[in-house]
Amino acid sequence: MRRARDDRELALWAQETLAPLRRQMAEVDVAGSVMQRIAVSQPRPVESLLPARWQRPAWAATLVAGFAAFLLLSTTAVLMMTNGDPGARTAMTLAATGGSLLLHGLTAAWGVVKALAETALVFGRSGWTLLETVSPLVRAAGVLAAFCGAASIGFSALIVSRAQRHAPLVSRASWNTLHGGFS
Amino acid sequence: MAAEPTDLELVQEVLAGRIEQFEILVRRYQRLVATAALRMGVPRQEIEDVANEVFYKVFRSLHRYEPSHALSTWLYRITVNAALDHKRSRRHDAKSDELSPTLADDRPGQEETTGDQERAALLREALQRLPVHYRTPLVLTHVEGLPIEEVAKALDLPEGTVKSRLFRARAQLKEILRRHYPGLVPPGLVEANS
């Protein structure tokens, strides 16, 4: 209650004391400079060299020219191969050699992967067999440990009960006499 | 006559790519930002730089604006941080002006009287003696006039923390004024609160 009242009084005091700061105002006009700064930071669009009305025809012409160039190149290559051009023949021989090398390489790589996988499988099987052999022993050790634990608890309980039975009885009065304890 | 677009509509338009709409937001809030910066202790001649920085930061992080908060609350938050950054960099530049806002620093506003201006300058000086985490909620509450929940949102603090900081800030300010600026305590409140 008191703290709430103090708080209210203090708030009123601060409100009154800081009044001159509340009457302070500042006027700035930063809109232009901010917008300029933003404009500078924006990525500029790539300007086209052509006027807008030529851009569509230019795009279509580029597509047609590209397709024509591809057609010319592929026709030339087919003609060279069918007419037995030595350059084309060499290229085909090189391509065939490359292909057979690739095939052999892939076969060899597959062999290596297969051998590795087989080795890993053998190791895995051996490990599994070992685990199967050892598991009865592990189980037996676990049972033995549990039995020992239970025996230890039983023995401790026996010792404690015997100690309680044979301990001398001490009354509150004699305890106070001996140790000067509670009155 | 068409109604003025709301802050949220303007924000959405700017985010959709109509960047020029941001100018309306700047014009709408530049006075609030400049005044808040002044009251946070930024000298008048540097307020324009701080306001520029605040609006540029706002533009760059506009996609993070949460419409559940008022735009002004978010602006207060960015202005407070910018004012504190500005103070830190100034202190780094010239260590001599720890309590720098002097009378010569501040040209009076049109509506300020000389006495008021002197008192305001001394109050700003006194406020600089408070730790930042006490000064900020005190200024936002008692100078900017924000309610506690707005202050809590602006400072990203729980309302309870703001209240306890306000209590300590007021008590510390009172002690500072009593010791160093006894003339600033309002006459009717000297005996009642001493």
Side-chain angles (χ1 to χ4, degrees):
Chain A
M1 279 290 277
R2 172 126 192 248
R3 156 121 193 193
R5 204 186 60 222
D6 287 352
D7 201 10
R8 264 199 307 278
E9 281 178 7
L10 213 49
L12 281 172
W13 173 86
Q15 193 71 8
E16 179 75 15
T17 307
L18 293 171
L21 276 183
R22 276 199 300 283
R23 287 192 283 273
Q24 283 212 313
M25 302 299 269
E27 292 284 353
V28 288
D29 187 4
V30 290
S33 58
V34 169
M35 294 313 288
Q36 204 177 352
R37 196 173 167 190
I38 289 170
V40 169
S41 71
Q42 291 298 300
R44 284 165 184 272
V46 181
E47 284 180 21
S48 174
L49 296 169
L50 288 171
R53 66 196 174 109
W54 286 105
Q55 282 175 11
R56 269 169 195 252
W59 187 81
T62 309
L63 201 70
V64 170
F67 185 70
F70 173 73
L71 213 63
L72 181 71
L73 270 174
S74 42
T75 315
T76 312
V78 168
L79 280 175
M80 280 166 78
M81 280 188 284
T82 49
N83 291 342
D85 182 79
R89 224 182 301 146
T90 313
M92 280 172 71
T93 316
L94 273 173
T97 314
S100 68
L101 272 174
L102 190 70
L103 199 70
H104 278 97
L106 282 176
T107 315
W110 173 243
V112 170
V113 169
K114 214 169 141 186
L116 281 174
E118 276 170 3
T119 315
L121 206 67
V122 168
F123 270 109
R125 270 193 201 140
S126 317
W128 182 253
T129 313
L130 194 68
L131 209 66
E132 273 185 337
T133 317
V134 166
S135 66
L137 288 175
V138 173
R139 228 178 293 146
V143 169
L144 190 66
F147 177 75
C148 288
S152 162
I153 291 166
F155 186 67
S156 302
L158 186 73
I159 295 285
V160 169
S161 65
R162 279 176 73 91
Q164 274 179 339
R165 222 177 299 141
H166 297 289
L169 287 171
V170 179
S171 68
R172 167 68 61 88
S174 60
W175 171 267
N176 288 347
T177 316
L178 279 170
H179 298 282
F182 312 103
S183 54
Chain B
M1 200 175 124
E4 286 219 337
T6 62
D7 292 346
L8 186 59
E9 285 167 353
L10 286 170
V11 168
Q12 282 167 346
E13 283 191 37
V14 175
L15 288 176
R18 293 189 63 199
I19 293 169
E20 69 279 1
Q21 295 296 88
F22 190 68
E23 191 170 348
I24 303 176
L25 282 177
V26 177
R27 292 202 184 282
R28 197 174 279 178
Y29 285 107
Q30 57 189 0
R31 189 177 188 193
L32 177 141
V33 167
T35 303
L38 175 73
R39 290 166 177 178
M40 279 299 293
V42 177
R44 276 188 192 276
Q45 62 269 28
E46 289 162 32
I47 285 173
E48 202 166 314
D49 293 341
V50 173
N52 193 307
E53 192 59 37
V54 166
F55 284 113
Y56 187 62
K57 272 185 189 166
V58 167
F59 176 77
R60 281 195 314 176
S61 48
L62 207 57
H63 58 280
R64 275 185 274 159
Y65 168 62
E66 288 172 31
S68 56
H69 297 189
L71 188 70
S72 56
T73 307
W74 194 48
L75 278 169
Y76 271 122
R77 182 180 185 156
I78 295 176
T79 307
V80 165
N81 289 335
L84 296 177
D85 285 349
H86 178 80
K87 280 241 144 235
R88 254 176 247 132
S89 65
R90 265 188 97 227
R91 201 175 301 154
H92 187 70
D93 288 345
K95 285 180 182 170
S96 59
D97 61 355
E98 183 73 18
L99 300 170
S100 69
T102 58
L103 299 178
D105 264 340
D106 295 315
R107 283 176 281 116
Q110 285 175 339
E111 64 279 9
E112 291 172 45
T113 62
T114 315
D116 232 18
Q117 192 218 342
E118 279 176 17
R119 288 176 71 83
L122 288 172
L123 274 171
R124 277 210 303 277
E125 199 176 291
L127 283 172
Q128 298 306 310
R129 290 178 184 258
L130 284 175
V132 172
H133 57 282
Y134 288 161
R135 192 197 318 152
T136 313
L138 189 72
V139 170
L140 289 180
T141 307
H142 290 298
V143 184
E144 296 299 332
L146 296 188
I148 300 281
E149 58 266 32
E150 291 287 304
V151 177
K153 279 180 191 169
L155 300 179
D156 201 16
L157 290 170
E159 283 185 29
T161 308
V162 172
K163 281 180 190 166
S164 66
R165 284 189 186 180
L166 263 177
F167 182 77
R168 291 196 190 105
R170 288 167 190 145
Q172 280 197 19
L173 180 69
K174 193 174 169 185
E175 187 59 25
I176 288 168
L177 294 188
R178 194 181 61 78
R179 278 195 191 172
H180 304 283
Y181 309 88
L184 285 178
V185 181
L189 298 169
V190 178
E191 285 83 21
N193 293 288
S194 57

